[in-house]
């Protein structure tokens, strides 16, 4: 039987037109570092998004389906680009300004961005890169910054405000197939080339509905959201598209991401919600300890990107701002889990344990755990496996088959189309995810998995251990076994046998490392994470002094 | 550019599997009228939905695409049918037990229901009808009731619990195109035959997400929803599908819809939310005035079906339960508007005025007002036109081209596919809808519309007027003009000229009726509404004594 429902595609232009019309009085406030922040209503954002689309089509010749780069902070102009570019049928390509310049150049060339929208304050980053960005023909500059940096560049340079001036404030948005591309974002790719994830109109629309569900972020037009997570980082966790749908006011920090201005904007603008990675909150906490301010306006603080330390969560609880964990990745749009404790533990001692998990899957995200032998594992809070996910806002491939020469699609996608997240963890019977390791760092020992992170945490709880990194090394009998590399504190007197005995009080016996090495320091990546690739290489090349304790 | 997102259809089986797995501990509580209500967890509902699907396929031979009728109250078994039937690829056809029996029979025959699921308590309604329900081959009975009423019926009779017993508790749900039929519901049709609205998996999934948005019902697994609005009435406003998605507990009154048991279940089960039409709340209010109980557990009361009288809203406010207006129809799944006041009026004198409107359109419902000449009207709170809506959970046609011989699709759907709601009203600049009339009752006078309801309300505010009904009558010069029929209170001394002068203080001069008639009583429909068809006929046939005041 056929349904009698209308066939209306889920498109970004519908979010835009809904928000500007129904929530026209809601505002996007951009911090300027001056006496007053800059405010623009959703109605004005709607007018200007239409003007931007006219300018891009008529003045710059942007065609449907082509990618446009944005190299911008979180601000009203970036929100306008978020809506104008997908709504006109082009593809919003957010560029991560924290990437090494050569990776940024690789990405712009791979996506073939003909146009880049840039904040004036980021011209010192863009200008020297331009000669390496072959496809770029037009640079559109908004906000303060020294334009002379572009002198002599072989591109056409436009002023954002001049382009918009006088253009019509409405646009006859094309009716787009909801499965067409709307936006793209490259993963930073610790191994191999960056990989492009291309969001569809459908995925953005559904993800936006999800963001607004009471069980998720649960915001309304009574709220103001301080969006610290960058718009170049997985669409700022889907917030700008999502909150425009329901009239949530946006507070945008632009380039003022330091603890002091963040504290000031919270006190002055009274956001009810904020979203950022833990390091931002750690900095803010330090600032508040030095210069106390009332931040209890923030009923809810969404933390993602990496796990939130319990101490940080408790500190914010004391300040009256409830932290809510969320997990996701570029490939998941990104909302994959949200850690709202279930009704039966609220107010009990278990509540904090639930809040410290990665959270529960929302409707629309299906999950399964796959064990070392490819078997599906039970949700018992014990069985550790790689997390695989499926859903309408989850990637099933990468743009242009990308990923570099060594990229094998079967490493990232299952035969039946699920995303292999590369994260290893357990799921409780009531659907809460706890991640314990990255799949590439897990030790595959005789058909069982040993978490390197668990061993590291146990080792680092020893009073004389400064740092410890555990990696998998080849083993004839077991396939892989753990190697423990340990940095001792000054004056430490412990030996390997004592360390192993200590570990045995915390970890199952079969998981205890046989191979040990004292090192001066654990090698780190540019963002400060343990660089286990390097350790494995040092071991393979015999550069580590190994003691074996069988 | 193609997106790289997975293509995962939005299906009812995904809501079911999500709810049973992630929210397995949430409950459906059915009132029994006995000492204890009956409780079932979402996990159990999931098991039993799978068992029901096995029984329907294997024992009753139900094929994908075929319609199955349910003649049931709100209870756990009806929720199981809500999920099992669409998930297996069949079509859930909820039968309105309040309809006249001949209309019910017409509907079963039109939908060709081969199977009907019925509550034992409704066998007195079904049994005498059965001989007129040609397609029905199987009757499945659940709950208490006299089975002997079915003795001698030429159908196979099954016990619900016996069918389920021993069946597998999981089912390999088919992957269904999200645009396929999932459920159907006939409009009661005041004119012409009933018309079938067929919901798709997509429309139910999207509507469910919308129900859960913070700006809409905004419930979480911390909530319990008392679902009084019948499951046979537009899928109980989408609540069962919607709240299963997020683990909201359901409190189901079964056949206990009288004020006293409703008051008792609120006090005992402490729901945080409830949904019903105004008459239910009026009855409850009377009950509470006689036997006061604490109902402040209900943070939110959703009222729809018809406008909520201000006095009722204020009475519930005083009891600590906030009433929220919603508007919709069978053709809109039904959530079309929700009356949450915008942020800028909360706490001001304007708040109540906003709450008394029909509400604001959620994302996913596009609206426009069409004036007498087919022109689109501005959203200025003044221009009255017929409301047309568009969206993925809004009907674009009727089942089987139905509607009877006199049905013309162009009366219900615009050329570009929007639904003509038949409701006339205004929309404010900030998107709040106020309905003033049914399109068929509005007076089309010289290219302008006069609201019959507005004239009636103004007339009925006169101290000597008991009732007043206003209808359109043909007029040579203006096309149509209003005729006022008035019932005076006993001993009233006012005359038409005085009434017209009184009206002139409240209504624009050009809208004042020229034709007046004193009547004994206003003719009414079976549900107590003014029957304006009859008045127009009485006028046309010269049965009314008319006084003309030019």
């Amino acid at each position: 039987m056929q349904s009698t429902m209308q066939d209306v595609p889920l498109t970004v232009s519908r979010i835009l037109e809904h928000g500007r019309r129904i929530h026209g009085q809601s505002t996007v406030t951009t911090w300027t570092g001056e006496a007053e922040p800059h405010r623009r209503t959703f109605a004005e954002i709607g007018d200007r998004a239409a003007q931007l689309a006219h300018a891009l089509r008529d003045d710059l010749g942007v065609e449907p389906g082509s990618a446009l780069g944005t190299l911008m902070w979180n601000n009203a102009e970036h929100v306008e680009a978020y809506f104008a570019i997908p709504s006109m049928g082009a593809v919003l390509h957010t560029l991560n300004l924290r990437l090494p310049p050569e990776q940024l150049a690789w990405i712009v060339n791979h996506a073939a961005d003909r146009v880049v929208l840039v904040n004036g304050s980021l011209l010192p980053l863009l200008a020297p890169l331009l000669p390496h960005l072959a496809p770029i023909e037009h640079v559109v500059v908004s906000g303060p910054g020294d334009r002379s940096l572009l002198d002599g560049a072989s591109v056409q340079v436009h002023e954002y405000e001049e382009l918009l001036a006088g253009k019509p404030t409405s646009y006859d948005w094309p009716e787009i197939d909801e499965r067409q591309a709307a936006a793209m974002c490259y993963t930073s790719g610790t191994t191999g080339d960056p990989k492009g994830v291309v969001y569809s109109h459908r995925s953005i629309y559904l993800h936006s509905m999800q963001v607004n569900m009471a069980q998720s972020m649960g915001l309304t037009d009574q709220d103001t959201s301080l969006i610290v997570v960058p718009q170049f980082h997985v669409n700022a966790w889907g917030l700008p598209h999502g909150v425009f749908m329901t009239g949530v006011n946006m507070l945008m920090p632009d380039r003022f991401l330091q603890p002091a201005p963040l504290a000031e904007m919270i006190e002055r603008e009274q956001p009810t919600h904020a979203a950022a990675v833990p390091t931002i909150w750690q900095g803010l906490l330090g600032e508040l300890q030095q210069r106390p301010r009332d931040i209890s306006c923030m009923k809810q603080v969404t933390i993602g990107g990496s796990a939130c330390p319990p101490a940080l969560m408790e500190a914010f609880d004391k300040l009256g701002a409830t932290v809510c964990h969320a997990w996701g990745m570029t490939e998941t749009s990104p909302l994959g889990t949200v850690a709202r404790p279930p009704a039966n533990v609220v107010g009990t001692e278990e509540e904090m344990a639930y809040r410290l998990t990665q959270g529960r899957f929302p409707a629309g995200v299906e999950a399964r755990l796959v064990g070392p032998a490819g078997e599906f594992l039970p949700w018992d809070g014990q069985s550790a496996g790689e997390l695989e996910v499926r859903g309408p806002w989850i990637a099933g491939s990468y743009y242009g088959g990308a990923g570099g020469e060594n990229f094998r699609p079967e490493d990232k996608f299952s035969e039946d189309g699920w995303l292999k997240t590369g994260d290893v963890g357990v799921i409780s019977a009531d659907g809460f995810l706890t991640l314990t390791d990255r799949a590439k760092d897990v030790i595959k020992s005789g058909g069982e998995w040993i978490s390197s992170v668990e061993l590291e945490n146990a080792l680092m709880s020893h009073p004389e251990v400064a740092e410890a990194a555990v990696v998998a090394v080849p083993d004839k009998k077991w396939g892989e076994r753990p190697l423990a590399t340990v940095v001792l504190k000054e004056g430490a007197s412990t030996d390997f046998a004592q360390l192993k005995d200590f570990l045995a009080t915390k970890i199952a016996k079969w998981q205890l490392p046989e191979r040990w090495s004292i090192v001066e320091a654990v090698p780190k990546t540019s963002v400060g994470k343990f660089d286990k690739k390097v350790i494995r290489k040092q071991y393979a090349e015999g550069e580590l002094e190994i003691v074996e304790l069988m």
Side-chain angles (χ1 to χ4, degrees), chain A residues 92-94 183-187 195-199 232-235 330:
Chain A
L92 170 82
H93 177 199
T94 50
M184 70 193 304
C185 188
Y186 281 74
T187 64
K195 294 179 280 290
V197 174
V198 184
Y199 309 104
F232 57 75
H233 183 73
V234 210
N235 300 322
T330 306

Side-chain angles (χ1 to χ4, degrees), chain A residues 186-462:
Chain A
Y186 281 74
T187 64
S188 36
T190 47
T191 56
D193 292 331
K195 294 179 280 290
V197 174
V198 184
Y199 309 104
S200 64
H201 286 263
R202 172 183 169 94
S203 73
I204 289 176
Y205 197 102
L206 292 171
H207 187 269
S208 296
M209 291 187 84
Q210 161 56 22
V211 162
N212 283 301
M213 282 167 72
Q215 198 101 282
S216 180
M217 307 263 186
L219 306 175
T220 72
D221 68 342
Q222 317 283 322
D223 288 296
T224 297
S225 178
L226 168 58
I227 305 177
V228 184
V229 54
Q231 289 189 257
F232 57 75
H233 183 73
V234 210
N235 300 322
W237 298 348
L239 281 164
H241 289 129
V243 305
F244 206 83
M245 196 179 237
T246 47
V248 180
N249 303 286
M250 298 184 222
L251 175 57
M252 296 304 214
D254 198 85
R255 63 196 181 279
F256 303 97
L257 299 170
Q258 308 73 29
L262 284 176
E264 191 190 340
M265 62 187 96
I266 293 168
E267 193 176 60
R268 279 180 52 188
E269 296 291 327
Q270 296 280 303
T272 57
H273 172 256
V277 294
T279 46
I280 292 280
W281 298 118
Q282 205 86 57
L284 183 66
L285 198 63
E287 166 71 22
L288 292 172
Q289 278 158 352
Q290 285 185 21
R291 273 174 296 276
R293 295 177 193 250
D294 183 1
I295 64 155
S296 61
C297 56
M298 292 200 300
K299 296 186 301 240
Q300 194 196 154
V301 172
T302 306
I303 290 195
S306 58
C308 177
L312 186 60
M313 201 176 270
E314 281 157 13
F316 272 91
D317 283 357
K318 281 193 195 125
L319 293 169
T322 305
V323 167
C324 183
H325 239 180
W327 167 85
M329 46 202 291
T330 306
E331 289 87 341
T332 63
S333 290
L335 220 61
T337 55
V338 179
R340 289 191 183 274
N344 60 318
V345 305
V346 170
T348 74
E349 282 183 7
E350 282 185 90
E351 182 171 347
M352 183 52 86
Y354 274 93
R355 287 176 58 200
L356 285 169
T357 68
Q358 268 60 49
R360 189 155 53 169
F361 304 96
V365 179
E366 292 168 76
R368 66 189 185 194
L369 288 177
V370 181
E375 78 281 21
F376 297 127
L377 299 175
W379 291 15
D380 56 10
Q382 300 292 327
S383 309
E386 182 176 359
L387 175 68
E388 297 189 356
V389 290
R390 175 168 70 171
W393 57 79
I394 291 170
S397 62
Y398 289 113
Y399 175 57
E405 280 175 25
N406 297 322
F407 177 72
R408 301 186 312 160
E410 60 269 34
D411 290 343
K412 291 297 290 183
F413 306 101
S414 74
E415 257 180 58
D416 54 352
W418 293 53
L419 172 73
K420 296 182 179 181
T421 62
D423 280 318
V424 170
V426 300
I427 303 178
S428 65
D430 50 359
F432 279 78
L433 170 73
T434 303
L435 293 180
T436 52
D437 223 334
R438 289 291 297 166
K440 65 177 168 20
D441 294 333
V442 97
I443 298 120
K444 293 155 191 96
S445 171
E448 300 280 349
W449 281 359
I450 302 173
S451 165
S452 63
V453 175
E454 223 173 293
L455 287 173
E456 287 161 2
N457 287 342
L459 276 169
M460 287 193 281
S461 72
H462 188 285

